[in-house]
Amino acid sequence: QVQLVESGGGLVQAGGSLRLSCAASGSTFSLRAMGWFRQAPGKEREFVAAIRWSGDTTYYTDSVKGRFTISRDGAKNTVYLQMNGLKPEDTAVYYCAATRGWEITLPLAYDYWGQGTQVTVSS
């Protein structure tokens, strides 16, 4: 079992920045990747970014490329999402997730989920 604890969400003005953190604990050695998803009211859960634990390869959805950066600290078992140039359309509940498999862009492929943290961007 793996537990994920998120932090860093909040209210920010358009153009501002936030950094989300997700600390993993438990049987983390089996994890191959961690990612971030978001879900706005009335919309499906959307892939945002992911990072592989081996090689640190990163992946981003087109709408956040150049603005968001995912990174990890292996010693702390923590993944981060640095969000710059935030836009009102980024407003959503952001979820940290971890997978033991190879698929990284589909919510169904993830084995563990955090509780979610609200990010609200005002204009």
Side-chain angles (χ1 to χ4, degrees):
Q1 285 291 105
V2 173
Q3 296 78 44
L4 305 176
V5 179
E6 299 162 308
S7 62
L11 175 64
V12 65
Q13 294 183 353
S17 299
L18 286 173
R19 188 178 74 160
L20 306 183
S21 299
C22 177
S25 61
S27 302
T28 60
F29 288 121
S30 64
L31 300 178
R32 288 195 171 98
M34 294 182 67
W36 291 94
F37 292 78
R38 65 187 181 186
Q39 188 166 23
K43 296 184 179 180
E44 296 182 349
R45 191 163 297 189
E46 175 191 22
F47 170 76
V48 177
I51 184 168
R52 296 195 184 280
W53 283 80
S54 178
D56 290 334
T57 304
T58 58
Y59 305 85
Y60 300 92
T61 191
D62 287 344
S63 64
V64 307
K65 288 180 179 177
R67 299 189 297 122
F68 291 9
T69 302
I70 188 170
S71 62
R72 71 176 181 91
D73 185 332
K76 297 180 179 179
N77 290 323
T78 300
V79 65
Y80 305 94
L81 185 67
Q82 178 67 46
M83 304 184 294
N84 298 326
L86 284 163
K87 304 175 181 179
E89 50 263 45
D90 295 318
T91 296
V93 176
Y94 283 70
Y95 296 91
C96 175
T99 179
R100 296 171 294 176
W102 297 106
E103 175 59 52
I104 58 171
T105 62
L106 301 177
L108 191 63
Y110 282 75
D111 302 291
Y112 309 100
W113 293 87
Q115 78 284 358
T117 184
Q118 178 70 47
V119 172
T120 302
V121 184
S122 65
S123 60

